[in-house]
């Protein structure tokens, strides 16, 4: 695919290229991965300023997202990458391969530095989700700090650098500049910018910023920090649409293909039959989402790829509210089950009270069915990001749901619409139909025919 960056993406890419130390603070969905990869490509092959890069990211992002983005864009075709996740044997094999970019999950940073035996000879480090290094006492932070003096270039990516307050910033920027801006020691930082807040005698539980401290801190880090909240490179407000790809395992893909070809799938928990093209479309969509109704009416769970992706997206929001659009009832049940497990405050938007709570920003996650996102439902005060867990063929419902956030009264600079898409499934056909603004029934029928013809 040809890469046609927005102005802000070009600006951010140039910023990384011209700043050996860079904190790039971009909201979810603004393309920080493609921005960074474009800069890496230029630094590797145009200016020859770097030769070997290590990318540190959350597990699923390391495993799937970076490689997908490299393969997606034409201008990155020369990049050779190696993904070092999995067992120790798999990680070692990946790190011993010849590559331009090595990608590892953050949980294995300590192993890489202290145990792997692999020389840490990377001349550039990219930390995806810099906020996951906010704890200066964590093993991953301490391990990476040991290697920091050897690194010529470093980039920290996040949309939420201080989700729990300004205290988070010290460790993140210590990792970037080795203490040059906010001080070498956390005690100095606390004394300079904070006062004890909640305490029990001599034991201090929390700190609050001194008057003017926030402005002073931002001024100190401004020369190495870019935030899309503070630039004029987007025409505001802008609607940004993006996809989050997930992949089925081989057995899961095989089940999907069997149903697609035979219209009948026999599973240990029950049989699934599709009577016609419309029914088949529904079954395939359900399987792409992770569960499917058997002929008996029972729900058969197939995979949790989209649930894992949703968990990653919620984490990347860093406490900002997220609207989640679902389609099938079993999607709703599985999403709620996962949110309960994560102890994330959420609600279905099915009453005036739940809508009030959302608009009052009392909810971290709100769940909405497109059919209930009717005309006149104002949700823009509650947030500016929506993720589609399950897709709909209805262009009207799709546009109407997105318009709950992308409308007059939205105070955010951008509204981000993200789609969790299961690669190699009907999800890709639905997205194509929506992007081409095809009519519902003809798009559904043509896509099913195309799927069956493959």
């Amino acid at each position: 695919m040809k890469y046609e960056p927005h102005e802000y993406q070009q600006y951010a890419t140039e910023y990384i290229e011209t700043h050996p130390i860079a904190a790039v603070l971009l909201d979810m969905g603004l393309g920080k991965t493609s921005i960074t990869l474009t800069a890496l490509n230029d630094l590797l092959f145009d200016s020859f300023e770097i030769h070997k890069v290590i990318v540190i990211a959350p597990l699923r992002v390391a495993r799937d997202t970076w490689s997908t983005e490299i393969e997606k864009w034409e201008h990155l075709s020369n990049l050779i990458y190696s993904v070092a996740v999995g067992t120790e044997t798999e990680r070692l094999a990946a790190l011993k391969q010849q590559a331009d970019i090595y990608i590892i999950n953050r949980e294995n940073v300590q192993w890489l530095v202290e145990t792997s035996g692999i020389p840490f000879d990377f001349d550039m480090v990219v930390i995806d989700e810099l906020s996951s290094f906010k704890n200066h006492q964590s093993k991953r932070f301490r391990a990476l700090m040991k290697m920091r003096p050897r690194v010529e270039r470093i980039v920290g990516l996040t949309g939420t650098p201080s989700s729990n307050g300004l205290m988070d910033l010290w460790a993140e920027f210590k990792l970037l500049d080795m203490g040059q801006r906010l001080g070498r020691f956390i005690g100095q930082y606390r004394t300079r910018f904070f006062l004890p807040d909640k305490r029990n005698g001599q034991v201090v539980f929390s700190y609050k910023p001194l008057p003017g401290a926030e402005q002073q801190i931002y001024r100190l880090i401004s020369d190495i920090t870019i935030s899309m909240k503070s630039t004029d490179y987007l025409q505001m407000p802008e609607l940004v649409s993006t996809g989050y790809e997930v992949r089925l395992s081989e057995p899961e893909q095989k089940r999907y293909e069997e149903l697609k070809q035979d219209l009948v799938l026999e599973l240990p928990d029950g049989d699934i039959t599709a009577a016609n093209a419309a029914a088949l479309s529904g079954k395939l969509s359900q399987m792409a989402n992770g569960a499917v109704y058997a002929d008996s009416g029972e729900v058969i769970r197939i995979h949790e790829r989209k649930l894992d992706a949703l968990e990653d997206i919620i984490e990347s929001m860093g406490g900002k509210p997220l609207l989640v659009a679902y389609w099938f009832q079993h999607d709703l049940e599985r999403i709620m089950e996962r949110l309960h497990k994560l102890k994330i405050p959420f609600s279905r938007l099915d009453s005036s009270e739940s809508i009030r709570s959302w608009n009052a920003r009392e909810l971290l996650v709100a769940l909405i069915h497109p059919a209930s996102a009717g005309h006149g439902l104002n949700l823009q005060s509650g947030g500016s990001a929506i993720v589609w867990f399950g897709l709909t063929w209805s262009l009207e419902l799709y546009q109407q749901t997105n318009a709950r956030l992308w409308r007059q009264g939205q105070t955010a600079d951008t509204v981000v619409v993200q789609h969790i898409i299961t690669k190699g499934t009907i999800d890709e056909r639905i997205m194509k139909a929506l992007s081409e603004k095809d009519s519902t029934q003809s798009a559904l029928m043509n896509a099913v025919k195309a799927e069956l013809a493959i």
Side-chain angles (χ1 to χ4, degrees):
M1 187 183 297
K2 187 176 181 181
Y3 186 58
E4 296 178 351
H6 296 278
E7 268 192 275
Y8 76 87
Q9 290 175 316
Q10 291 178 322
Y11 179 86
T13 296
E14 291 171 6
Y15 193 91
I16 293 172
E17 292 175 16
T18 55
H19 290 72
I21 301 173
V24 180
L25 315 183
L26 295 180
D27 281 343
M28 179 202 74
L30 293 184
K32 65 177 184 287
T33 309
S34 59
I35 286 169
T36 307
L37 283 169
T38 302
L40 295 179
N41 192 58
D42 292 344
L43 290 167
L44 281 163
F45 303 128
D46 287 350
S47 61
F48 306 106
E49 292 184 44
I50 58 174
H51 304 91
K52 191 177 181 182
V53 182
I54 182 81
V55 174
I56 301 166
L59 175 58
R60 287 184 285 271
V61 176
R63 187 183 62 208
D64 303 322
T65 304
W66 282 81
S67 57
T68 299
E69 286 290 310
I70 292 171
E71 294 172 6
K72 180 178 179 180
W73 304 111
E74 289 179 11
H75 72 297
L76 302 177
S77 59
N78 290 327
L79 282 176
I80 301 172
Y81 67 89
S82 184
V83 181
V85 301
T87 66
E88 183 172 21
T89 301
E90 290 170 333
R91 296 195 302 269
L92 285 171
L95 290 166
K96 289 175 182 177
Q97 289 181 17
Q98 283 294 114
D100 305 307
I101 299 174
Y102 297 83
I103 306 163
I104 194 168
N105 55 306
R106 60 196 180 192
E107 294 82 2
N108 281 316
V109 169
Q110 184 187 14
W111 169 83
L112 172 64
V113 172
E114 299 177 359
T115 311
S116 69
I118 301 292
F120 199 94
D121 55 355
F122 307 97
D123 46 21
M124 183 163 184
V125 173
V126 176
I127 305 171
D128 193 350
E129 292 308 330
L130 178 64
S131 56
S132 63
F133 283 81
K134 64 189 176 188
N135 182 0
H136 67 283
Q137 295 178 319
S138 68
K139 293 177 180 177
R140 71 178 69 150
F141 175 86
R142 289 177 174 176
L144 196 53
M145 274 306 303
K146 291 177 186 175
M147 298 296 107
R148 176 62 188 90
R150 304 185 187 184
V151 178
E152 297 175 18
R153 282 181 166 268
I154 187 166
V155 176
L157 308 172
T158 186
T160 54
S162 54
S163 58
N164 295 321
L166 294 170
M167 196 66 75
D168 290 351
L169 292 177
W170 180 82
E172 296 168 24
F173 279 83
K174 172 72 181 292
L175 198 53
L176 294 180
D177 71 0
M178 294 183 282
Q180 183 180 339
R181 287 162 182 80
L182 299 183
R184 292 179 58 199
F185 304 102
I186 185 69
Q188 294 174 338
Y189 181 65
R190 286 197 195 109
T191 303
R192 183 177 178 185
F193 297 111
F194 298 88
L195 282 173
D197 188 12
K198 297 177 182 177
R199 62 193 302 169
N200 183 5
Q202 296 299 313
V203 180
V204 179
F205 296 112
S206 64
Y207 293 83
K208 59 183 178 181
L210 288 163
E214 186 172 359
Q215 290 71 27
Q216 289 183 56
I217 292 168
Y218 291 158
R219 187 165 59 250
L220 286 169
I221 63 175
S222 63
D223 64 316
I224 59 168
T225 305
I226 175 177
S227 168
M228 295 324 297
K229 296 183 185 68
S230 61
T231 66
D232 298 323
Y233 289 89
L234 284 173
Q235 297 298 314
M236 306 298 183
E238 181 170 352
L239 183 67
V240 176
S241 180
T242 184
Y244 190 117
E245 271 192 0
V246 298
R247 295 172 185 263
L248 301 179
S249 67
E250 286 188 21
E252 292 159 358
Q253 190 70 45
K254 185 178 179 182
R255 285 181 175 182
Y256 180 90
E257 298 298 332
E258 285 175 6
L259 178 61
K260 185 172 73 175
Q261 296 298 333
D262 301 334
L263 306 186
V264 177
L265 181 61
E266 296 179 0
L267 294 172
D269 299 326
D271 294 343
I272 301 164
T273 305
N276 52 47
L280 178 61
S281 167
K283 297 294 186 186
L284 294 178
S285 291
Q286 291 176 53
M287 291 186 75
N289 290 358
V292 64
Y293 290 114
D295 295 346
S296 64
E298 294 182 34
V299 176
I300 300 175
R301 299 195 175 199
I302 308 294
H303 64 84
E304 295 191 350
R305 312 293 176 187
K306 287 198 175 186
L307 289 171
D308 292 341
L310 180 61
E311 184 176 332
D312 287 346
I313 290 169
I314 292 171
E315 180 186 353
S316 74
M317 293 292 292
K320 294 181 183 177
L322 180 68
L323 190 62
V324 179
Y326 67 93
W327 190 253
F328 300 104
Q329 181 65 25
H330 56 62
D331 290 343
L332 172 64
E333 292 167 359
R334 291 183 303 119
I335 292 168
M336 291 196 298
E337 182 179 303
R338 178 64 69 94
L339 294 175
H340 277 304
K341 183 179 177 182
L342 297 171
K343 298 181 180 179
I344 292 173
F346 74 94
S347 176
R348 291 175 62 189
L349 294 187
D350 56 359
S351 67
S352 56
E353 178 57 26
S354 62
I355 292 170
R356 184 207 64 77
S357 296
W358 165 258
N359 281 325
R361 293 186 175 254
E362 295 170 358
L363 301 173
L364 197 59
V365 175
L367 309 175
I368 191 166
H369 193 284
S372 67
H375 295 272
L377 187 60
N378 296 314
L379 303 177
Q380 69 272 19
S381 297
S384 59
I386 179 170
V387 60
W388 285 82
F389 182 91
L391 302 173
T392 173
W393 285 102
S394 171
L395 181 63
E396 179 183 4
L397 288 180
Y398 174 74
Q399 292 178 332
Q400 197 60 237
T401 304
N402 292 337
R404 298 311 96 212
L405 301 183
W406 190 44
R407 60 195 292 117
Q408 287 187 350
Q410 175 59 256
T411 57
D413 294 339
T414 57
V415 171
V416 176
V417 180
Q418 194 154 15
H419 314 83
I420 305 177
I421 301 165
T422 305
K423 189 170 178 61
T425 71
I426 201 166
D427 278 358
E428 294 174 318
R429 303 284 181 184
I430 298 174
M431 279 306 304
K432 186 179 182 203
L434 291 171
S435 65
E436 293 176 354
K437 296 181 170 56
D438 206 344
S439 60
T440 305
Q441 193 60 31
S442 65
L444 184 155
M445 297 300 289
N446 290 335
V448 170
K449 287 178 184 175
E451 286 279 297
L452 291 172
I454 294 175

